[in-house]
Amino acid sequence: MRRLDRLSIGGLVTLLVLVVFALGSLIGAGGDPDAIVGPRLQPPGSGWWLGTDNLGRPVLPRVMEGVGTTLLLSSVAVLVTAALSATFGIVAGYRGGYLNELVMRLVEVLYSFPAIVLAILVAAVLGPGQTAALASIVLVTIPLMTRLVRAAAVAVSQRDYVTSAVISGARLPRVLVRHVLPNVAGTIAVQGTYALSVGIAVEGGLSFLGFGVQPPQASLGVLIQQGGTYMIAAPWLILGPGVVLVAAILAINVVGDGLRDRLEPRETRTLT
């Protein structure tokens, strides 16, 4: 914490607040998200802090549930992405040759698709739902992370300590896990934060279009889509989840910038 700047600490605090916010929905801290507590489309007040939706349900607990759904889906997808990218990137970067070419060509094919188009294609194949959202996030985030991990692995594989390990008779799995992986872990961590922000945006866009999380389950994308119908009559329906979505993406990117500055301090950066 001492090594992070104030902006990064602010982003980290925002993330922790959102996580607590999401965990609160599991214990019913905000109330029952499916309970009808008052008249429909009521503005924020003492009885319901963020107003009620088109069915008379409180918006606050639904936003809390939506934050939890979005963060959980995105986090699981990024963990899968990190595992796959680390494996493919390290092996391709260290071994090179035809294996490197194969991995890079597959990555470039995925990278050539616009993110939302690729997500919609995945949803069309798998059908709308959480599985489609999870797979979409993985396929959207894996190309860039794999390329960067591979570049870092190429640089690390040329270091003297890796050469010494090979000469001493260390087997390939030991070289990759013991010597290469720890030295590209910073790249994986930094890119993981950016992938998480992309994953949140992809889930939001996919659910907004009706291909991601399906009602009655709430996610930030679902809530924004439902609130868009009443944007003039009840703007609080879209304002709550929209602000939370933007805050989550900004906070994660700020934390990622802080991690990059600390884990990759030798990279040259300019203001122009």
Side-chain angles (χ1 to χ4, degrees):
M1 290 289 290
R2 292 179 180 177
R3 298 184 63 188
L4 293 177
D5 55 56
R6 293 182 178 179
L7 189 60
S8 300
I9 293 176
L12 186 59
V13 171
T14 302
L15 275 181
L16 291 177
V17 169
L18 291 177
V19 171
V20 172
F21 201 59
L23 293 176
S25 66
L26 299 178
I27 60 176
D32 186 358
D34 297 320
I36 298 178
V37 297
R40 52 194 300 270
L41 301 179
Q42 289 297 299
S46 58
W48 32 82
W49 289 1
L50 294 182
T52 62
D53 64 6
N54 60 313
L55 297 179
R57 297 173 298 186
V59 175
L60 177 60
R62 290 188 60 76
V63 171
M64 295 174 67
E65 181 185 6
V67 172
T69 302
T70 298
L71 288 180
L72 180 60
L73 274 177
S74 302
S75 299
V76 171
V78 169
L79 289 176
V80 175
T81 295
L84 294 177
S85 296
T87 302
F88 295 147
I90 291 174
V91 173
Y94 181 81
R95 294 304 296 267
Y98 73 91
L99 186 59
N100 174 66
E101 292 296 323
L102 176 62
V103 171
M104 288 299 99
R105 297 298 82 77
L106 291 175
V107 164
E108 288 173 0
V109 169
L110 292 176
Y111 202 65
S112 65
F113 286 91
I116 195 63
V117 173
L118 181 59
I120 292 175
L121 288 176
V122 173
V125 173
L126 299 179
Q130 294 188 21
T131 302
L134 185 66
S136 298
I137 295 172
V138 171
L139 290 179
V140 167
T141 55
I142 198 172
L144 180 59
M145 188 182 293
T146 301
R147 292 175 66 177
L148 294 174
V149 172
R150 177 257 179 194
V154 169
V156 170
S157 64
Q158 298 172 357
R159 301 287 176 83
D160 292 339
Y161 55 83
V162 176
T163 303
S164 300
V166 175
I167 294 175
S168 66
R171 296 182 178 274
L172 178 61
R174 179 179 176 82
V175 173
L176 297 181
V177 174
R178 184 72 179 272
H179 300 284
V180 180
L181 178 60
N183 290 283
V184 301
T187 299
I188 297 173
V190 171
Q191 292 306 313
T193 59
Y194 294 135
L196 182 58
S197 66
V198 172
I200 291 175
V202 169
E203 187 283 324
L206 203 61
S207 297
F208 179 82
L209 295 174
F211 296 105
V213 177
Q214 299 296 298
Q217 185 174 8
S219 76
L220 293 179
V222 170
L223 294 177
I224 292 173
Q225 189 273 335
Q226 292 175 343
T229 307
Y230 303 94
M231 187 165 52
I232 303 299
W236 55 87
L237 293 182
I238 195 172
L239 185 62
V243 169
V244 172
L245 181 67
V246 172
I249 293 175
L250 288 178
I252 292 169
N253 279 291
V254 166
V255 172
D257 287 341
L259 286 177
R260 181 193 61 187
D261 293 338
R262 299 307 174 187
L263 298 177
E264 301 176 6
R266 290 173 294 180
E267 182 180 347
T268 302
R269 299 181 184 87
T270 61
L271 295 177
T272 57

